Amino acid sequence: MTAILRVECLTRYFAGLAALKEVSFEVEQGLICGLIGPNGAGKTTLLSIVAGSLRPTSGAVIFEGRSLGGAKSFAAARAGVVRTHQVPRPFSALSVLENVEVGSRFGSARAADGSLTPRRILEWVGLAGLADAAAGTLSVGNQKRLELARALAARPRLLLCDEVCSGLTGAETASVLALLREIQRSGTTILYVEHNLRAIMSVCDHVVVMNHGRKLAEGPPQEVQANPEVIEAYIGKKAGKKAARQAAPGRDG
Amino acid sequence: MTALAEGTEGSEGTEDAPRPQRSRFLAAAPPLLLVAGLAALPLTGLGPNSIRLAFVTFVWITASVAWNLLGGFGGQVSFGFAVFYGLGAYAAAVAINAAVNPLAAFLLAGGVAALASLAIGLPTFRLKGPYFAIATIGVSEAVRVVMTNLSPTGGASGYRIVEPGAFRQLHHFYTALALAVVAVAVSIAVRRSKLGLALVAVREDEDAAGDLGVNPFRTKLLAHALAAALTGAAGGVHARYAAYIHPQGEFAFGIGVGILLMPIIGGLGTIWGPVIGGVVYGLIHDEVVASFPQLHLLIYGSLLILIVLFEPAGILGLVNRVAALARRRLRAREPRRMEPR
Amino acid sequence: MSVGMTIVYGVMKIVNLAHAGFLMLGAYFVYELYNRFAIDPLLGVLLAFPAFFIVGMGIHRVLIRRLPTSDQPTLASLMLLFGLWLVLQNLGYLVWGNADRSILTPRTLSVMNIGPITFPTVRLVVCGTAVASLAILEIVLRKTWFGRAVRALMQNRDAGRIAGVNVERTAQVAFGVGIAFAGAAGGLLAMLYSFSPDFGGSFLLRAFVIIVLGGLESFAGVAAGALILALAETFSILALPASYQPAIAFSLLVLALLVLPDGIAGLWIKRRRLA
């Protein structure tokens, strides 16, 4: 299987504080890869570095075999790596349609597939009725959809989703997850940072767990979920020990 | 500040999708009529003083519309457009004195200004909003100082343009009018183009724009160059009329301030706002300076404060607000004729 | 010795620390102070602090508070303050005319000898006062609750609010402090130079250059930036005709911007931080 993204020994310091410490992992093409971890684990930092919004202190980001090497975010987007933002950042003075047009008229250098016009994307995402509304007037849920629509319009080969489900109701979350699966089916790889564990487990093929800036574990969702260290990171030492005991019965009674 | 939406003349809210051809014709009609009217102005027997006033106003409109490309669409506030105005003036002056065809001289003026904009933009666009603005103040002053000391162009004593033939005021009038029309046309074209979309995106959220593939640096440089070229041409056109230019006049900080004030007064970020601002400024500026020589800074400063606090969208914004209010009042008064109860 | 001047520039730079965008006001306010206290320059400078503090708070209350707020300095605040600067300049012209004025006291012409070097007294006094004020400000910013609140707000208003900072009050006080320093700085500068209502502009630019050179974060940065600027200006006289002087600050700025890597100070197009 080909790895569309390889993150090698990524390290990032913020004035003496290590947000990321030598994190390495791969994302296979065509999969939805989840990135989870408790608050402060460094997930968004990592996402920002891959997207080009932030430069690593050291380490490499290799996309489709070529190093992105601290490129600025627009260069990353041109290469096919596009992100959404955790807190939506719509272009308020533009209409919803125009917002998506920014993505489609710029975005990756890949030739546009004629069928995926801005309007089609809005339909896909469920915002067709609001195409002419000013983006600044949208509800939070719709702004998150707009983030997705805009990023999609930029024709990403790797879509970086930053907590697209945070702040959404159960029903909204379900529909966004369904959307993500459709995006994956259409050939785009997704790296998905999320806090909502249930969402991650239901939609991801592979999960990477981070804690305190380091990679803690990775693997299929079920495996990761049962990992004692992961449980300890999220809940606490006791639960972790309990899980370890359950995993190896008869070890210490 | 202001939405990118086209000035709402002509479209009445909720109607069926209009046929594109007809609505475009309708939208184009008023501006064309306006231009025709202005072109016919001298025929109405206006005195040379009024013609001069109109000429100056056209020059200001050009500069105002130009500044708005970068400052209104792009949100990058530059206080340093006097540099382009002045450089354009000097470039055209030198060229005309060298017997270059005036039209070519104006093109040269625009070109020189555009090059200067690149030299200035490369370092300064790395700065964020207000810091960029302050840096442009520095540019303006530095260039003024240099030009004041530059002897080949006369230094502080100024530079004279000598042209064979009589002074034909109407000639200048139509040149300035044509330039203003070109400026507005460029403005409309930019706003509809990919560059226009990029500029607004950068203005609204530079980082998010970058995340989508827009190159903010290049976008700004491009808009800066266009704006500078138009402003430089305006400076050249004016210089030829005045036939005498000097650094204290061409590169004065007041010119940079005036150029920036016009779009703000009229409606930042729109097509016609800067035009309105240019008209207002062009017509009253001389009056203000003449009648209240002590107070013009006060007046403009207060105007700026009032606009920022109460009507950031300028005159156009005020007009839109009043129109919307009027429309609402009218609709409230109409008896309901729609659904039967 | 231009060292004194450099520190004074530094004071003006700190003016910006509390809330970006009102740097423009500073130099101008200075002017008002000078004439009123022409009798007593040093005392005048000391009195400037509280006087301008009050004025600053007042301006904040009446004008600034109405602006839409954000973490980054906005265009609206830029325009507002610029407009204010124009108004003040004009008021200056109205009240004092545009003739150059200066403050002459016995101190102005006297010299002091420190070791083998002779210093004009006034420069030593100015330098000393500036350093002292900077030091005090630095202490306030680092050690007091208020100082930390200001620094927090500079980064993220909402986070500060959540942490318990009274945003409006702190912003108002910070603004007041900024104006106070601007006024005092102007006073110090007036002891060195003659002045007229458009006094502010060149110092604004210089302060700005110092910020670019030295960064917003530290006292050492200020001093370093100021020193570089002062040295450049002093030595440029040897190479260029004096009339080119005002352009020096700007050329230095351009040079710095072209050469320094980005990411140095809060001024640069910032890379996005953690959400």
Side-chain angles (χ1 to χ4, degrees):
Chain A
M1 286 283 179
T2 41
I4 195 176
L5 176 74
R6 207 163 70 234
V7 161
E8 285 177 1
C9 267
L10 269 191
T11 306
R12 169 75 201 203
Y13 280 89
F14 284 110
L17 181 71
L20 284 181
K21 270 193 230 139
E22 294 171 3
V23 176
S24 303
F25 64 87
E26 283 183 5
V27 176
E28 266 178 46
Q29 186 164 28
L31 298 187
I32 301 184
C33 176
L35 186 57
I36 64 175
N39 275 324
K43 322 187 283 290
T44 302
T45 307
L46 190 119
L47 205 74
S48 295
I49 291 180
V50 173
S53 312
L54 213 55
R55 246 187 249 178
T57 309
S58 67
V61 174
I62 311 219
F63 176 67
E64 292 186 333
R66 272 171 320 178
S67 167
L68 282 183
K72 300 219 181 108
S73 63
F74 72 85
R78 295 266 169 87
V81 180
V82 185
R83 68 170 300 169
T84 68
H85 304 96
Q86 183 176 349
V87 177
R89 298 171 70 157
F91 302 125
S92 312
L94 291 175
S95 73
V96 165
L97 185 64
E98 284 166 329
N99 266 264
V100 176
E101 274 174 6
V102 174
S104 65
R105 292 184 83 170
F106 294 91
S108 85
R110 179 168 70 162
D113 163 16
S115 60
L116 213 54
T117 65
R119 281 207 187 267
R120 289 291 308 281
I121 294 181
L122 282 181
E123 278 171 26
W124 196 10
V125 146
L127 285 176
L130 290 167
D132 296 318
T137 62
L138 258 46
S139 67
V140 173
N142 282 335
Q143 279 188 357
K144 290 216 165 221
R145 284 168 197 267
L146 182 57
E147 280 282 323
L148 261 180
R150 242 177 23 179
L152 281 176
R155 300 172 298 281
R157 279 195 288 286
L158 174 64
L159 179 64
L160 305 172
C161 293
D162 198 348
E163 303 211 18
V164 287
C165 289
S166 69
L168 298 185
T169 67
E172 288 172 329
T173 303
S175 73
V176 169
L177 290 180
L179 193 54
L180 286 185
R181 267 190 230 101
E182 279 182 49
I183 295 171
Q184 178 203 12
R185 268 197 295 266
S186 74
T188 308
T189 311
I190 300 180
L191 179 58
Y192 182 20
V193 167
E194 184 56 81
H195 219 67
N196 181 338
L197 286 180
R198 206 171 297 173
I200 288 272
M201 296 308 169
S202 73
V203 86
C204 293
D205 307 303
H206 188 86
V207 175
V208 174
V209 187
M210 285 180 60
N211 193 18
H212 294 317
R214 289 189 193 279
K215 184 176 77 175
L216 190 56
E218 70 174 301
Q222 310 313 112
E223 203 178 284
V224 161
Q225 228 173 359
N227 185 319
E229 283 180 348
V230 173
I231 297 179
E232 177 177 331
Y234 267 97
I235 304 179
K237 272 209 154 82
K238 263 200 193 161
K241 289 223 170 82
K242 180 173 169 193
R245 271 196 307 260
Q246 284 172 344
R251 193 79 76 84
D252 35 28
Chain B
M1 281 182 175
T2 331
L4 197 61
E6 175 112 44
T8 49
E9 345 120 356
S11 61
E12 287 300 359
T14 54
E15 56 181 18
D16 303 304
R19 265 177 265 153
Q21 263 74 4
R22 191 194 288 179
S23 84
R24 230 187 289 159
F25 176 71
L26 281 177
L32 288 178
L33 284 176
L34 179 67
V35 174
L38 288 172
L41 215 51
L43 305 172
T44 62
L46 284 177
N49 230 0
S50 310
I51 300 286
R52 189 194 63 83
L53 199 61
F55 167 82
V56 167
T57 304
F58 295 147
V59 170
W60 281 130
I61 289 177
T62 304
S64 170
V65 169
W67 189 93
N68 183 64
L69 291 176
L70 180 71
F73 295 158
Q76 310 299 314
V77 173
S78 167
F79 284 93
F81 265 54
V83 169
F84 308 129
Y85 186 81
L87 283 177
Y90 272 89
V94 167
I96 292 178
N97 271 352
V100 172
N101 172 294
L103 186 59
F106 298 145
L107 285 174
L108 179 70
V112 166
L115 279 176
S117 82
L118 285 178
I120 293 171
L122 276 171
T124 55
F125 278 132
R126 296 202 202 161
L127 299 169
K128 281 192 291 211
Y131 303 107
F132 167 73
I134 298 177
T136 60
I137 298 181
V139 180
S140 190
E141 287 301 287
V143 171
R144 188 178 58 79
V145 164
V146 167
M147 288 303 283
T148 309
N149 288 291
L150 212 59
S151 28
T153 51
S157 354
Y159 187 77
R160 208 167 284 274
I161 302 177
V162 178
E163 267 190 293
F167 175 77
R168 286 169 306 176
Q169 197 190 38
L170 282 188
H171 193 81
H172 293 274
F173 174 88
Y174 285 114
T175 310
L177 176 58
L179 184 61
V181 169
V182 166
V184 174
V186 167
S187 181
I188 295 177
V190 165
R191 205 195 58 181
R192 297 221 179 121
S193 71
K194 201 168 155 184
L195 175 64
L197 196 61
L199 278 170
V200 177
V202 165
R203 178 187 83 202
E204 293 293 301
D205 193 328
E206 182 165 330
D207 290 333
D211 291 336
L212 288 171
V214 176
N215 183 338
F217 199 60
R218 215 171 65 123
T219 304
K220 292 179 198 175
L221 282 177
L222 209 51
H224 200 205
L226 271 176
L230 284 170
T231 309
V237 167
H238 186 266
R240 187 177 173 222
Y241 185 99
Y244 169 69
I245 54 179
H246 63 288
Q248 298 303 111
E250 302 306 301
F251 294 101
F253 186 56
I255 295 222
V257 171
I259 293 180
L260 165 153
L261 264 174
M262 293 185 280
I264 293 181
I265 293 176
L268 194 65
T270 64
I271 298 281
W272 297 103
V275 176
I276 296 175
V279 170
V280 168
Y281 189 76
L283 293 181
I284 72 167
H285 181 65
D286 282 351
E287 265 312 299
V288 167
V289 173
S291 317
F292 310 102
Q294 316 283 33
L295 292 181
H296 72 278
L297 279 184
L298 185 81
I299 294 176
Y300 289 135
S302 317
L303 198 57
L304 204 51
I305 293 177
L306 289 173
I307 289 179
V308 167
L309 287 180
F310 299 116
E311 186 52 87
I315 291 180
L316 210 56
L318 204 62
V319 166
N320 277 336
R321 256 209 272 178
V322 169
L325 202 66
R327 248 178 288 165
R328 245 180 288 149
R329 292 260 173 85
L330 279 171
R331 230 175 277 157
R333 284 212 212 119
E334 256 177 36
R336 290 237 189 126
R337 275 184 248 136
M338 305 282 175
E339 295 82 48
R341 287 279 178 160
Chain C
M1 262 329 255
S2 53
V3 175
M5 278 172 265
T6 75
I7 306 291
V8 177
Y9 300 155
V11 172
M12 288 212 51
K13 171 228 149 163
I14 296 292
V15 160
N16 197 44
L17 189 65
H19 197 90
F22 61 74
L23 195 60
M24 304 208 187
L25 278 184
Y28 185 70
F29 267 123
V30 155
Y31 185 73
E32 294 177 24
L33 174 68
Y34 297 133
N35 268 21
R36 197 163 314 180
F37 294 101
I39 309 164
D40 234 11
L42 201 53
L43 184 58
V45 168
L46 288 175
L47 288 173
F49 278 104
F52 280 89
F53 179 67
I54 295 172
V55 170
M57 297 249 284
I59 298 237
H60 186 94
R61 186 130 190 272
V62 170
L63 294 177
I64 314 283
R65 234 179 19 166
R66 296 177 199 243
L67 287 176
T69 57
S70 93
D71 288 343
Q72 306 291 347
T74 61
L75 286 184
S77 70
L78 177 72
M79 287 297 129
L80 184 70
L81 293 159
F82 182 66
L84 192 55
W85 185 27
L86 291 181
V87 169
L88 293 170
Q89 259 198 329
N90 209 145
L91 287 177
Y93 280 119
L94 283 177
V95 175
W96 289 290
N98 63 356
D100 276 2
R101 312 224 181 180
S102 47
I103 298 177
L104 286 173
T105 66
R107 204 184 289 129
T108 315
L109 298 171
S110 70
V111 292
M112 267 168 61
N113 289 310
I114 299 186
I117 315 176
T118 308
F119 294 99
T121 313
V122 83
R123 288 180 195 251
L124 278 179
V125 166
V126 165
C127 180
T129 313
V131 171
S133 352
L134 266 185
I136 293 176
L137 181 66
E138 193 68 14
I139 292 175
V140 165
L141 280 175
R142 295 215 179 264
K143 303 288 181 193
T144 67
W145 168 249
F146 167 69
R148 283 198 291 269
V150 166
R151 278 157 52 215
L153 288 189
M154 270 177 63
Q155 298 200 15
N156 189 322
R157 269 185 124 85
D158 292 327
R161 199 188 300 267
I162 292 174
V165 176
N166 181 336
V167 176
E168 287 72 28
R169 198 87 182 119
T170 307
Q172 188 172 19
V173 174
F175 190 81
V177 169
I179 301 288
F181 265 83
L188 288 175
L189 286 170
M191 290 167 69
L192 298 175
Y193 299 108
S194 62
F195 49 90
S196 67
D198 57 8
F199 187 56
S202 61
F203 290 104
L204 168 74
L205 183 64
R206 290 207 183 95
F208 177 60
V209 174
I210 293 176
I211 299 177
V212 172
L213 288 177
L216 267 175
E217 301 303 309
S218 69
F219 180 46
V222 176
L227 196 62
I228 297 176
L229 180 62
L231 288 175
E233 286 195 335
T234 312
F235 289 115
S236 69
I237 293 190
L238 301 173
L240 292 168
S243 44
Y244 278 99
Q245 261 264 311
I248 293 300
F250 176 70
S251 320
L252 198 59
L253 174 67
V254 172
L255 214 61
L257 285 172
L258 285 174
V259 164
L260 290 175
D262 44 10
I264 271 201
L267 287 179
W268 308 100
I269 306 286
K270 229 193 288 215
R271 301 315 200 107
R272 278 189 52 226
R273 294 157 170 263
L274 288 166

